[in-house]
């Protein structure tokens, strides 16, 4: 099934929601915002990067050893790498390409539980590492970005 068919199916499903008016207003506001301001991240470029050198076992061991409050283990480099790839690329598929031993479901579970176990200092350190990786690739963008949440002001979703 192509992307436009999938999108149309999703819209038809959403169309029946009691929140359709707010959903459609949010999508229009987002479209207008992006048309006027653009996004801060070129995801197409990021999805073409080679992530094989993102974080080494040794580098990860140093990160974990440096955070005494962390529940993470030195063996958690795979979920760390997958978390970082998803965070900067917006794509779980790229993390799967880097770790073919995982399937979509196990990856989601792995990354979700990993993210939940991060302490704020460790999350900040991972973002620093990720930003450093992007800079090495010649990309001077934030690690992650979202449009202003004010775009949702006044809309009803409950």
């Amino acid at each position: 099934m192509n992307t436009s068919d999938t999108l149309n199916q999703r819209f038809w499903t959403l169309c029946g929601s009691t929140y359709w008016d707010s959903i459609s207003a949010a999508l229009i506001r987002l479209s207008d915002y992006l048309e006027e301001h653009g996004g801060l991240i070129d995801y197409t470029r990021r999805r073409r990067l080679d992530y094989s050198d993102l974080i080494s076992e040794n580098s990860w061991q140093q990160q974990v050893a440096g955070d005494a409050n962390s529940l993470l283990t030195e063996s958690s480099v795979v979920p760390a790498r997958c978390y970082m790839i998803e965070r900067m690329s917006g794509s779980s598929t790229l993390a799967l390409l880097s770790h073919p031993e995982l399937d979509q479901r196990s990856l989601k579970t792995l990354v979700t539980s990993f993210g939940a176990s991060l302490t704020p200092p460790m999350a900040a350190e991972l973002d620093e590492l990720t930003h450093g990786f992007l800079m090495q690739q010649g990309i001077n963008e934030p690690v992650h970005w979202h449009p202003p949440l004010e775009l949702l002001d006044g809309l009803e979703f409950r």
Side-chain angles (χ1 to χ4, degrees):
M1 181 176 293
N2 73 36
T3 306
S4 62
D5 288 342
T6 302
L7 188 59
N8 283 333
Q9 278 186 335
R10 301 271 162 82
F11 279 138
W12 275 112
T13 301
L14 289 172
C15 210
S17 166
T18 57
Y19 305 111
W20 175 246
D21 290 340
S22 291
I23 292 168
S24 61
L27 290 169
I28 291 166
R29 289 177 187 181
L30 175 61
S31 175
D32 291 347
Y33 178 88
L34 292 173
E35 187 174 324
E36 184 175 335
H37 303 282
L40 296 181
I41 294 176
D42 181 349
Y43 286 104
T44 302
R45 176 178 52 199
R46 288 188 183 194
R47 290 179 181 143
R48 287 188 287 232
L49 294 175
D50 177 3
Y51 293 101
S52 59
D53 292 330
L54 177 58
I55 187 167
S56 68
E57 300 263 347
N58 188 37
S59 176
W60 178 246
Q61 289 174 2
Q62 291 172 5
Q63 289 297 320
V64 172
D67 187 352
N69 297 321
S70 177
L71 300 175
L72 302 172
T73 66
E74 293 176 357
S75 64
S76 57
V77 69
V78 170
R81 187 177 297 122
C82 292
Y83 170 87
M84 293 167 73
I85 291 170
E86 276 194 34
R87 188 154 168 84
M88 83 174 99
S89 72
S91 171
S92 60
T93 303
L94 292 174
L96 284 173
L97 293 175
S98 297
H99 295 283
E101 72 277 9
L102 299 173
D103 60 28
Q104 189 71 40
R105 184 180 209 153
S106 60
L107 174 71
K108 175 124 178 97
T109 301
L110 193 67
V111 171
T112 301
S113 63
F114 177 82
S117 67
L118 287 176
T119 62
M122 181 60 85
E125 286 183 42
L126 284 177
D127 277 352
E128 277 184 43
L129 283 171
T130 303
H131 189 257
F133 172 80
L134 289 170
M135 294 297 286
Q136 288 173 348
Q137 306 299 313
I139 300 172
N140 187 14
E141 299 171 343
V143 172
H144 58 92
W145 174 83
H146 60 78
L149 295 178
E150 292 79 31
L151 293 174
L152 302 175
D153 285 353
L155 300 179
E156 202 52 49
F157 291 102
R158 298 184 221 191

